[in-house]
Amino acid sequence: MINKPHRVQFTSSRIEDLMFRTTFDPVAMAGDVIVNLSLIKGEDLESILEVYALAIRSGLSVSPFLKIIKGGESIGDFRISKGDVGIATVCSITIDGVLLKGGVMINPKLGGVVQIKNGHPVRFTDVVTYVSTTIDPLEVLMSQDVTSVTQMLRTGSGKILANLREAPLVARDDLDHILSDMLDAGISGIMEVGEPNSRVLDVPVERDHLGVVVIGGTNPMAMAKEQGFEVRTNAMSTLIDIDEMKHVDDFV
Amino acid sequence: MTDPQIERKLIEIMRVISESDKPIGARNIADELQNRGYNLGERAVRYHLRILDERGFTEKHGYNGRTITTSGRKELDDALIGDRLDFVITRIEELIYKTDYDPFSKKGNVIVNLSTVDKDDFDNAIDVMKYASSGDISISPNIKIFEEDSDPRVYVPPGCVNIATVCSITFDGLLLKSGIPIKPAYGGIIEMEHNDPVQFLDMISYSGTSIDPVKIFMMRHETSVLDVLDTGNGRILANMRNIPSSAIDKTKEVLKYLEDSGIGGVLSIGDSSDAMVGAPVEEGMAGILVAVGVNLVAAVEEAGIPVATSPVSMVLDYSEMSKL
């Protein structure tokens, strides 16, 4: 019974909270990262791990690290029910958190579907901005049958999930340094860094800003869904220490 | 990628061609572009048309002019995301403008949603909709049925039937005609208890998305309209719009006329986040919460019948629609 309605929370404010709580340091390779949680049936674990491994090795994720949480155990405040298994993967908003802690005023703007042609990103074809939704845009888009991640891996052309943030032009050097530190730390999902004052993958940016497009951490889930597996996603669910996560090669 | 300026002209030309029901020539395209504020002469149009032909987006039919190809249509769906970011609301504005339903004569345009079902499922779908329209979770029990090639305005896929239901955005059109400044704000999913709305569970704004919010929620299959009809408790789809607080009385008056004429579904009017069951309302503004028309269709999906819906599709004269 709900007595008094509570105000809904939009994704943009949830993101800011998570960015503030990010403590990951790419140079020391330590600290907390933001994770997406996928809940799957226990018996599907092995086949879904294969799908995730394929997606991750093909570069369709933010990082190769993941954590498996068994039924009955908890992650953050979330308890996995018996019979289920949780897979935590690094969420792309981690990059925004690290940039923020590095002093770059970063503004996560939207999540969308990016069309890839022969291995090259062409443009966003559908988008949902963070300020306009209470559900993560990538979760929204995953349910709209607009992705074709599996096809993209098979043929080099297809539509995958990605998100866009804007950074002020003045912070460009810091931005470049931090992104390259992230790359060294294996957080490698950066798809495109735009030129200042010009559209990035067809999306206009604010004046004296540049756009940074990062591959959505939820692409492996979208791929598993496309192949008919039941995956319940809980994007941007919580933060965990990177030490608790292991490289995908340790599982498959 | 081509120059954005050229790209925009190419897309605009394709839009003109796709909106024409027969092949259209460069001369007419140039005239229509002029209407839309693009100053492009006939020669320039021809030049751009050659590019479109080369890309396989348009097709030439001798001297009659050009039509758009399937891949051209696809391109229109995908291109210029920067424009489409607010396209949902722009398109809605166009339909709001065309709304002119008169609650006294029960004639005039209302906005409708179009839902496509398989012919074999049609009778079952109508039964479910009939049942669903008995509750207070939709706008009007009147629908219109389109069969294959029955109406040039509506494309019906082979082997299917289209069902038009009254869309909640009709309210926005009618309130606007009464001089009330109004804008659809959010679509979302609401928890109902004892047939009363209690809490927005999730919502998406009409601006800032390239896909209609109500369509998004339809595809997520989270409603339990049938439960609400049976027990009064469950989840339905609703949307809200904002008006200035000073217009509340006038709004209630208009809504009363509408209800008397058979178009209802307003869940609440209020100027606090409590009244709007958790949705934010700006100071000095009031929200109007309406159960959307496609709840009838959501019920059909819950009953296991596959449906594809495009909300806020077109305008239709209410007198053409008949009761379920």
Side-chain angles (χ1 to χ4, degrees), chain B residues 131-189:
Chain B
Y131 172 61
S133 70
S134 64
D136 286 331
I137 44 88
S138 74
I139 296 185
S140 158
N142 287 26
I143 60 163
K144 184 174 167 76
I145 291 151
F146 294 99
E147 281 172 62
E148 252 174 90
D149 300 321
S150 72
D151 196 311
R153 291 171 297 178
V154 180
Y155 168 73
V156 183
C160 294
V161 179
N162 273 7
I163 307 172
T165 50
V166 179
C167 172
S168 49
I169 305 294
T170 302
F171 285 100
D172 300 80
L174 294 167
L175 289 166
L176 184 76
K177 288 275 141 57
S178 311
I180 298 161
I182 190 158
K183 207 164 195 190
Y186 302 103
I189 184 159

Side-chain angles (χ1 to χ4, degrees), chain A:
Chain A
M1 182 83 192
I2 301 163
N3 287 323
K4 193 177 154 54
H6 57 85
R7 286 184 79 134
V8 293
Q9 186 189 27
F10 287 90
T11 317
S12 44
S13 63
R14 192 155 95 238
I15 285 178
E16 284 187 15
D17 168 49
L18 289 167
M19 280 165 62
F20 173 68
R21 286 156 58 195
T22 308
T23 56
F24 178 65
D25 175 350
V27 180
M29 198 54 195
D32 290 350
V33 294
I34 307 167
V35 292
N36 299 314
L37 184 63
S38 350
L39 296 171
I40 59 171
K41 290 191 206 129
E43 67 257 32
D44 289 342
L45 178 64
E46 223 150 281
S47 342
I48 288 183
L49 270 180
E50 294 278 346
V51 175
Y52 277 35
L54 178 62
I56 291 169
R57 285 182 192 134
S58 317
L60 285 179
S61 70
V62 180
S63 94
F65 302 104
L66 39 95
K67 179 183 181 173
I68 293 173
I69 307 108
K70 295 198 193 79
E73 289 175 12
S74 304
I75 173 165
D77 317 328
F78 197 90
R79 204 179 155 77
I80 313 280
S81 42
K82 283 250 161 20
D84 280 353
V85 179
I87 305 178
T89 49
V90 177
C91 173
S92 45
I93 301 296
T94 304
I95 295 178
D96 300 278
V98 174
L99 285 168
L100 171 78
K101 297 294 153 109
V104 178
M105 305 76 101
I106 194 88
N107 178 21
K109 212 177 160 197
L110 52 86
V113 178
V114 169
Q115 183 177 29
I116 310 281
K117 257 187 197 155
N118 303 322
H120 295 288
V122 182
R123 60 189 169 189
F124 275 100
T125 58
D126 269 305
V127 295
V128 181
T129 57
Y130 290 121
V131 288
S132 67
T133 169
T134 61
I135 313 170
D136 171 52
L138 297 192
E139 261 187 271
V140 165
L141 293 163
M142 225 189 285
S143 63
Q144 304 299 307
D145 296 339
V146 285
T147 61
S148 47
V149 183
T150 312
Q151 186 198 332
M152 141 74 202
L153 279 190
R154 209 171 287 148
T155 68
S157 300
K159 289 178 176 176
I160 66 168
L161 299 165
N163 47 40
L164 169 74
R165 65 273 296 128
E166 284 181 0
L169 179 53
V170 284
R172 195 175 187 178
D173 288 346
D174 281 340
L175 179 82
D176 287 345
H177 281 140
I178 295 170
L179 291 182
S180 91
D181 285 346
M182 297 287 276
L183 259 172
D184 294 343
I187 312 271
S188 58
I190 292 131
M191 191 190 272
E192 187 117 340
V193 179
E195 289 299 316
N197 292 317
S198 51
R199 302 194 293 176
V200 52
L201 299 182
D202 246 11
V203 179
V205 294
E206 268 177 64
R207 183 170 171 176
D208 290 342
H209 281 67
L210 53 96
V212 180
V213 181
V214 175
I215 290 177
T218 40
N219 278 303
M221 305 170 194
M223 193 166 153
K225 270 195 173 166
E226 283 169 13
Q227 299 186 6
F229 291 104
E230 189 193 321
V231 186
R232 279 154 294 147
T233 49
N234 215 328
M236 306 180 210
S237 48
T238 186
L239 291 108
I240 59 175
D241 196 305
I242 190 88
D243 280 345
E244 290 178 36
M245 305 183 86
K246 279 198 246 165
H247 199 281
V248 63
D249 291 346
D250 297 340
F251 295 101
V252 182

